[in-house]
Amino acid sequence: MAYKTLEYRDGAVSLKGFLADDGRSGPRPGVVLFPEATGVGEHVIERARRLAALGYVALAGDPYGDGEQARDLPHAIELMTAVRSDVNRWRARAQAALDALSAQSSVDRTKLAAIGYCFGGSTALELGRTGAPLSAVVSFHGGLEAPKPDDGKNIRAKVLVCHGASDPLIPPEHVSAFEAQMRNTTVDWQVCIYGGAVHSFTNPDADKLGNPAFAYNASADRRSWAAMLALFDEAFGPR
Amino acid sequence: MAYKTLEYRDGAVSLKGFLADDGRSGPRPGVVLFPEATGVGEHVIERARRLAALGYVALAGDPYGDGEQARDLPHAIELMTAVRSDVNRWRARAQAALDALSAQSSVDRTKLAAIGYCFGGSTALELGRTGAPLSAVVSFHGGLEAPKPDDGKNIRAKVLVCHGASDPLIPPEHVSAFEAQMRNTTVDWQVCIYGGAVHSFTNPDADKLGNPAFAYNASADRRSWAAMLALFDEAFGPR
């Protein structure tokens, strides 16, 4: 199993992602993972390792530059807002990660997926909206507001949105609006709503924030991970 | 593999269900299936056979008496309305099927589930709302309006609602209202919404109705069936 920091660029910005590849032979599906607003840290790295253990080539993409991680929640929001406030910058940052993944010799460029958590879930969807050649996009507790909602029609990927039913950061109206957008497309999409789950339900460290809006939910984590793997099997064929 | 018509009663009403059991030894989880409003016919029988082939004891319950099947859609609505218009009658009809299943010597009475299609999905949920000792309830394109919504708190089962995103018979407001009811409980629940799917998305014969509100959707059928089996594995332990 090989893990390494992968340096790549988005124009003038130097990015540091985390690449996980179990080194088995032959080109394999590649998955780019976009982290929570805190940046590339333990949570997304653990998910990349898991995917690599299953045979995927996984890159946790750096949204900020130099692998920066937020000090705290206000800092995370500041970093996230700086990227997200310009949709072209946001998309370019995501595309840079996908390009860096695609450039790996171990990756089958016809089998690419983007997934993400919170801000990263929104990022995976936003990358999909550019028409990027993705077979699957999965958002876990990601924001569902789109700067250019009509661009949903550009999505080529099968889309899975995994949402916590009691997530106070993503109210039911946002979920309904997203569904309404998707209904106006021919995209293959699903939304799975997990009762009792709030924001960051996949992150075992969420409880440490001491904020009831954020909490780990083992059942929603397990179910959403399984739903993602099932979608990958559909999108890529059996492993 | 043993299939047979199972006669049982709900008070004065004689019912004819379809029992499927592969005959392997030892008590096994039991699943009661409630059919579409057309009654116990090919669709629900095929699902019962599938479940039996996986080792479950499966009973397709008769909602109407003497195994009556609807001649056409208006007749189906008439039959359904006659049962559903009295919540106590409706619940008793469902309970009778569960009791008939539980009485089978091959059934592990600590491992029971109720599933259903359209009206049958509503019926499975309604049985759950009585506080019946069910480990899992799954509704496929079932109506989500409840005569006594507060009874949602009585549900002891893990609940999975599989919904077609473009189902004109079950508008988004019904889904939202159901989710809001469930949020007020401690029930373990999930709603999965399948883009592009309309009513009867699990029924290959739905297209024959020639009504665009009803159509088979192979992808939503496969995904929802897999989600149900995953829930059974959670509820009953590995097969």
Side-chain angles (χ1 to χ4, degrees), chain B residues 189-211:
Chain B
W189 64 276
Q190 303 170 70
V191 170
C192 288
I193 298 172
Y194 303 102
V198 296
H199 205 61
S200 293
F201 63 76
T202 66
N203 191 338
D205 287 336
D207 304 50
K208 291 182 187 165
L209 285 170
N211 180 334

Side-chain angles (χ1 to χ4, degrees), chain A residues 168-192:
Chain A
L169 280 65
I170 305 159
E173 309 84 77
H174 290 196
V175 184
S176 300
F178 175 80
E179 291 172 13
Q181 287 162 22
M182 287 292 102
R183 275 192 198 90
N184 286 327
T185 69
T186 57
V187 175
D188 177 359
W189 63 275
Q190 302 171 71
V191 170
C192 288

Side-chain angles (χ1 to χ4, degrees), chain B residues 22-205:
Chain B
D22 79 346
R24 70 185 78 175
S25 66
R28 281 159 292 128
V31 182
V32 60
L33 301 87
F34 297 109
E36 296 190 283
T38 43
V40 176
E42 200 175 328
H43 175 250
V44 78
I45 286 174
E46 192 268 335
R47 301 295 156 134
R49 287 175 190 260
R50 271 203 221 178
L51 286 171
L54 294 170
Y56 301 99
V57 182
L59 173 66
D62 173 13
Y64 302 135
D66 290 324
E68 185 167 8
Q69 291 188 61
R71 292 182 302 275
D72 50 26
L73 196 54
H75 187 211
I77 292 168
E78 180 191 320
L79 288 169
M80 173 178 75
T81 304
V83 173
R84 199 172 55 174
S85 57
D86 176 340
V87 67
N88 293 324
R89 178 171 47 218
W90 188 12
R91 290 177 172 189
R93 196 62 53 85
Q95 184 67 48
L98 182 62
D99 290 345
L101 175 68
S102 301
Q104 302 302 309
S105 60
S106 53
V107 169
D108 178 346
R109 295 180 199 183
T110 68
K111 295 185 174 179
L112 297 170
I115 74 170
Y117 299 89
C118 306
F119 171 46
S122 315
T123 302
L125 287 166
E126 201 52 44
L127 181 58
R129 290 189 189 96
T130 67
L134 296 165
S135 302
V137 164
V138 184
S139 166
F140 300 90
H141 43 86
L144 297 173
E145 290 183 300
K148 299 183 172 181
D150 287 349
D151 283 358
K153 68 179 186 307
N154 299 330
I155 297 176
R156 295 158 66 181
K158 295 175 187 294
V159 170
L160 170 64
V161 165
C162 300
H163 174 69
S166 297
D167 188 334
L169 280 66
I170 304 158
E173 309 84 78
H174 290 195
V175 184
S176 301
F178 175 80
E179 292 172 12
Q181 287 161 23
M182 286 293 100
R183 275 192 198 90
N184 285 328
T185 69
T186 57
V187 175
D188 177 358
W189 64 276
Q190 303 170 70
V191 170
C192 288
I193 298 172
Y194 303 102
V198 296
H199 205 61
S200 293
F201 63 76
T202 66
N203 191 338
D205 287 336

Side-chain angles (χ1 to χ4, degrees), chain A residues 65-86:
Chain A
D66 291 324
E68 185 166 9
Q69 291 188 61
R71 291 182 302 274
D72 51 27
L73 196 55
H75 188 210
I77 292 168
E78 180 191 322
L79 288 169
M80 173 179 75
T81 304
V83 172
R84 199 171 56 173
S85 58
D86 175 342

Side-chain angles (χ1 to χ4, degrees), chain A residues 146-203:
Chain A
K148 298 183 172 181
D150 286 349
D151 283 358
K153 68 179 186 308
N154 300 329
I155 296 175
R156 295 155 69 181
K158 296 175 186 293
V159 171
L160 171 65
V161 165
C162 299
H163 174 69
S166 297
D167 188 335
L169 280 65
I170 305 159
E173 309 84 77
H174 290 196
V175 184
S176 300
F178 175 80
E179 291 172 13
Q181 287 162 22
M182 287 292 102
R183 275 192 198 90
N184 286 327
T185 69
T186 57
V187 175
D188 177 359
W189 63 275
Q190 302 171 71
V191 170
C192 288
I193 298 173
Y194 303 102
V198 296
H199 204 63
S200 293
F201 63 75
T202 66
N203 190 340

